Amino acid sequence: MSNEVNEDLVKERKNASFNITDLTYLLDGSEEKTLRRRELEKEYYTDPELKDDYPIDYQSHSEVYDSSLQKSLHFFHKAMEMADPQEMLLVADAFLHEASPAAVHFIMFIPALMGLATEEQQNKWLPEALEMKIIGSYAQTELGHGTFLRGLQTTATYDPKTQEFILNTPTLSSIKWWPGSLGKTANHAIVLAQLYIKGKCYGIHPFMVQIRNMEDHQPLPGITVGEIGPKMGMRASDNGFLKLDNVRIPYENMFMKNAQVTRDGEYIKPKSDKLNYGTMVFVRVLITDMVAFNLARACTIATRYSAVRRQSEIIAGKGEVQILDYQAQQYKLLPLIALTHAIKATFLSLMQTYKVASQNLEKGDLGNLPELHAISSGLKALCSDKGSRGIETCRLACGGHGYLLISGLPRLYSLTVAACTYEGENTVLYLQTARFLLKCLKQGNLSPDSNFNYLLKKGGGIVTSLSAEPTLKELLSLYEAVAYRTVHIASKRVDTLIQMGDLPEIAWNKSHVCLIPAAKAHVQYYINQRYIEWVEQSGIPDNLRKVLKNLCQLYLLFNICEEPGIFLQVGLTTSKLEQLQNKLIELLAVLRPDAIPLVDSFDLHDLVLNSALGRYDGQVYRTMFELAQRAPLNKTQVHESYYKYLHPLKSRL
């Protein structure tokens, strides 16, 4: 950041109606957490180990992987010197702009070890995993199968004579495909395979497989492993393939915390088939936080640029205006800032729910797990859907400059849209949530604290009245009614098709068009509940609460005005809809002076944004021109291709 700050940004910051730092503390969780994060970040701003020789957007695939691996290990070594190594998570992701080659090791491999391995197995592998003496991947998805786990084709056949498991990928489609860290980084993998004992299949089970030599990193016998190639984004994540040909592993390498196989080949089934949900739920909870973080970065970039960029005149002869003064631009960006808050609030609440469920799971209490699985599945889907679309809206809001990689927006979009398919393809996850919703209706009796109780209310699905100035809770009642109605409609369709003679599976397939909106409506209602709770929590200064409530109201109104049809079906009248639209427009003008303070409160350093358009000092054009001169094609004034192809044309004339 330069000492010279764009005058428009200086004015915008002076117009703040609230203390920016107060909101930063709220978003971080406390003043103490903010100060600690800043302290950690400051240590790395000048760290030479984290400096790039030239912009990451100009680096090759191989260079990005190399650089990100070096940075990841640097963070790891620094973390090991800290009293609480987990604190490093506060800053590490912010500096790894193309993901990390070690991400899966920490996000999936270690949690899977903790959740699936016996105490004895954990004692064997966990200490070395925590010290990165072994680096792991989580090999589940195959070339021909992803979300449908029961269809996985990798096999693990138990040989009671040698007391070993023999792993094979017997078909082309069974080759493991997509696991992060597998391509070049990992030396171990948790492999999900169909367990066979004495010719009988017992379904999917996890196995620890060493895939590379610990001395020279070469693949072990029977193992073919490599990187799947460049992707749309996440260039540092070395997603890989794994082919297994009669790979024998010791008896002890099957994780047996839940299901067991005796040495003589007897199978002992787990107490519940839901015990493996834990790792999936944990990752899906983390994805919501990742989406909020990426969307916050995109909103910061686009909003700051919109305050700096001047384009056209509103009144002829009065000069070009900031594009943030155009109502259309406010309509694009302000609801997205609100969405960031909504997702963040939901993550904070969901993480607490997950911690309680995990504690109960350790005690053998699985009561909360199915509901948590259903909620986290739908949240992962809706947040990644809305987050990726929101980042694309931010890119479009920056006009042509948003198309440049140095804007940072294409990178953020590719990072976020990937979450629409990894850890469960979103359509499938919506249907999982929908299945649980219909199960709740059939069950007819839920625990008092269930998030699904509203479905059993008598007379639900309609809102009879709204006050002239609807409160947040009144607006929330519209979302409850929509969720109630869409879930009941979907359930009725499935039941009707079954009564007409369809098999339940066929009826379900014929109802997807109703089931998916039902899941979306429920999740949106859940998010809005958490958002309102967050805004109304105690301890928020009055001037800040006023802004946050206005922003929350804007978000609720925005969704209603974007999809008015479903709200008109639950009692909203056309005249009332017009009033709500007018209120939304009024809120855009009210919130406009706080747009820059709102994104400043995300407290994202320029090194975290890594964007020419989103700089805190607003020196956009100077930065763009400087970076353009450093572009790879400008290393020489005359490119070598000129002499190969263009210069010879002259001799033909």
Side-chain angles (χ1 to χ4, degrees), residues 302-330:
T303 306
R304 284 180 180 167
Y305 176 74
S306 297
V308 170
R309 179 75 167 184
R310 289 179 173 270
Q311 190 83 16
S312 302
E313 298 176 322
I314 293 178
I315 300 175
K318 295 294 184 179
E320 292 187 297
V321 300
Q322 297 164 278
I323 59 175
L324 192 52
D325 283 338
Y326 290 104
Q327 189 183 83
Q329 193 79 343
Q330 297 161 19

Side-chain angles (χ1 to χ4, degrees), residues 232-263:
M232 182 174 170
M234 300 180 73
R235 291 182 296 163
S237 179
D238 54 323
N239 300 85
F241 60 81
L242 176 65
K243 187 174 183 293
L244 302 163
D245 294 306
N246 293 316
V247 175
R248 288 179 173 267
I249 60 173
Y251 168 83
E252 295 81 6
N253 281 34
M254 174 181 164
F255 288 160
M256 296 193 189
K257 183 175 183 178
N258 301 322
Q260 292 99 39
V261 176
T262 64
R263 288 190 177 273

Side-chain angles (χ1 to χ4, degrees), residues 537-593:
Q537 65 182 291
S538 61
I540 300 176
D542 290 342
N543 56 348
L544 174 57
R545 189 186 301 279
K546 181 178 179 181
V547 174
L548 293 182
K549 291 186 82 168
N550 282 339
L551 197 61
C552 182
Q553 186 177 26
L554 174 74
Y555 179 70
L556 298 179
L557 293 172
F558 174 80
N559 288 308
I560 292 170
C561 294
E562 283 289 288
E563 294 186 88
I566 59 175
F567 292 94
L568 291 170
Q569 293 171 353
V570 298
L572 183 67
T573 64
T574 53
S575 60
K576 195 64 183 177
L577 174 63
E578 185 176 351
Q579 290 178 23
L580 296 183
Q581 288 172 329
N582 289 335
K583 181 62 179 178
L584 183 154
I585 293 170
E586 175 189 321
L587 284 171
L588 291 175
V590 169
L591 287 164
R592 160 64 185 88

Side-chain angles (χ1 to χ4, degrees), residues 101-363:
V104 169
H105 175 77
F106 290 105
I107 295 173
M108 296 197 70
F109 182 77
I110 289 177
L113 265 175
M114 298 172 69
L116 304 175
T118 64
E119 185 176 348
E120 183 179 355
Q121 290 171 322
Q122 289 186 35
N123 290 337
K124 178 180 179 181
W125 289 306
L126 193 54
E128 291 193 327
L130 291 171
E131 294 180 12
M132 292 192 78
K133 291 180 180 178
I134 63 172
I135 301 174
S137 180
Y138 188 84
Q140 176 175 291
T141 301
E142 297 174 355
L143 191 53
H145 285 87
T147 306
F148 182 55
L149 298 186
R150 283 179 293 153
L152 295 180
Q153 298 173 327
T154 302
T155 62
T157 305
Y158 184 60
D159 182 351
K161 293 180 181 178
T162 61
Q163 296 188 355
E164 294 175 312
F165 293 95
I166 308 168
L167 275 77
N168 277 289
T169 47
T171 63
L172 178 63
S173 60
S174 69
I175 294 171
K176 295 297 181 183
W177 193 273
W178 277 115
S181 305
L182 182 65
K184 294 296 174 185
T185 308
N187 46 44
H188 284 69
I190 295 174
V191 175
L192 279 292
Q194 302 281 3
L195 172 63
Y196 280 86
I197 306 173
K198 301 173 184 177
K200 182 178 179 180
C201 182
Y202 289 90
I204 297 297
H205 290 74
F207 300 85
M208 176 69 86
V209 181
Q210 183 178 340
I211 58 174
R212 289 183 169 100
N213 189 296
M214 298 299 289
E215 297 300 323
D216 59 11
H217 209 57
Q218 290 293 327
L220 294 177
I223 288 175
T224 305
V225 62
E227 219 264 351
I228 63 173
K231 306 174 292 293
M232 182 174 170
M234 300 180 73
R235 291 182 296 163
S237 179
D238 54 323
N239 300 85
F241 60 81
L242 176 65
K243 187 174 183 293
L244 302 163
D245 294 306
N246 293 316
V247 175
R248 288 179 173 267
I249 60 173
Y251 168 83
E252 295 81 6
N253 281 34
M254 174 181 164
F255 288 160
M256 296 193 189
K257 183 175 183 178
N258 301 322
Q260 292 99 39
V261 176
T262 64
R263 288 190 177 273
D264 59 0
E266 295 301 316
Y267 181 75
I268 303 172
K269 66 179 182 180
K271 295 178 182 179
S272 171
D273 59 358
K274 298 178 177 63
L275 288 170
N276 291 337
Y277 281 179
T279 302
M280 287 190 295
V281 170
F282 175 69
V283 174
R284 288 170 186 170
V285 171
L286 291 183
I287 288 172
T288 61
D289 192 39
M290 178 274 290
V291 170
F293 180 54
N294 288 349
L295 186 57
R297 289 194 279 186
C299 287
T300 301
I301 293 168
T303 306
R304 284 180 180 167
Y305 176 74
S306 297
V308 170
R309 179 75 167 184
R310 289 179 173 270
Q311 190 83 16
S312 302
E313 298 176 322
I314 293 178
I315 300 175
K318 295 294 184 179
E320 292 187 297
V321 300
Q322 297 164 278
I323 59 175
L324 192 52
D325 283 338
Y326 290 104
Q327 189 183 83
Q329 193 79 343
Q330 297 161 19
Y331 188 74
K332 289 176 184 178
L333 298 178
L334 289 171
L336 292 178
I337 297 172
L339 174 60
T340 305
H341 288 177
I343 297 175
K344 183 69 175 182
T346 303
F347 163 74
L348 293 171
S349 174
L350 190 63
M351 182 56 83
Q352 292 304 313
T353 304
Y354 171 77
K355 288 178 180 178
V356 172
S358 296
Q359 292 168 356
N360 292 340
L361 184 60
E362 288 299 320
K363 300 174 185 176

Side-chain angles (χ1 to χ4, degrees), residues 250-495:
Y251 168 83
E252 295 81 6
N253 281 34
M254 174 181 164
F255 288 160
M256 296 193 189
K257 183 175 183 178
N258 301 322
Q260 292 99 39
V261 176
T262 64
R263 288 190 177 273
D264 59 0
E266 295 301 316
Y267 181 75
I268 303 172
K269 66 179 182 180
K271 295 178 182 179
S272 171
D273 59 358
K274 298 178 177 63
L275 288 170
N276 291 337
Y277 281 179
T279 302
M280 287 190 295
V281 170
F282 175 69
V283 174
R284 288 170 186 170
V285 171
L286 291 183
I287 288 172
T288 61
D289 192 39
M290 178 274 290
V291 170
F293 180 54
N294 288 349
L295 186 57
R297 289 194 279 186
C299 287
T300 301
I301 293 168
T303 306
R304 284 180 180 167
Y305 176 74
S306 297
V308 170
R309 179 75 167 184
R310 289 179 173 270
Q311 190 83 16
S312 302
E313 298 176 322
I314 293 178
I315 300 175
K318 295 294 184 179
E320 292 187 297
V321 300
Q322 297 164 278
I323 59 175
L324 192 52
D325 283 338
Y326 290 104
Q327 189 183 83
Q329 193 79 343
Q330 297 161 19
Y331 188 74
K332 289 176 184 178
L333 298 178
L334 289 171
L336 292 178
I337 297 172
L339 174 60
T340 305
H341 288 177
I343 297 175
K344 183 69 175 182
T346 303
F347 163 74
L348 293 171
S349 174
L350 190 63
M351 182 56 83
Q352 292 304 313
T353 304
Y354 171 77
K355 288 178 180 178
V356 172
S358 296
Q359 292 168 356
N360 292 340
L361 184 60
E362 288 299 320
K363 300 174 185 176
D365 180 2
L366 307 178
N368 296 335
L369 202 54
E371 181 168 320
L372 180 59
H373 179 259
I375 291 173
S376 64
S377 296
L379 277 171
K380 179 268 182 186
L382 193 68
C383 290
S384 58
D385 274 348
K386 284 182 171 286
S388 54
R389 287 201 299 271
I391 293 170
E392 173 65 354
T393 297
C394 287
R395 188 188 69 78
L396 293 171
C398 293
H401 292 338
Y403 192 66
L404 286 167
L405 291 182
I406 58 171
S407 74
L409 294 166
R411 185 189 328 111
L412 288 171
Y413 175 75
S414 66
L415 282 171
T416 309
V417 77
C420 293
T421 46
Y422 67 63
E423 293 312 307
E425 193 276 330
N426 280 359
T427 298
V428 176
L429 294 188
Y430 284 131
L431 291 171
Q432 288 181 4
T433 301
R435 192 175 295 279
F436 189 83
L437 288 165
L438 267 57
K439 183 180 178 181
C440 289
L441 290 184
K442 297 292 187 293
Q443 186 175 335
N445 183 25
L446 303 173
S447 64
D449 58 347
S450 171
N451 290 289
F452 299 80
N453 270 319
Y454 73 95
L455 294 171
L456 305 181
K457 287 183 180 179
K458 291 184 179 180
I462 193 74
V463 175
T464 55
S465 64
L466 288 173
S467 58
E469 289 282 338
T471 64
L472 295 179
K473 290 186 177 178
E474 283 183 294
L475 293 175
L476 183 64
S477 69
L478 285 169
Y479 286 89
E480 180 185 306
V482 166
Y484 180 99
R485 184 176 186 276
T486 53
V487 172
H488 279 262
I489 287 175
S491 180
K492 182 179 179 181
R493 175 173 172 80
V494 173
D495 290 344

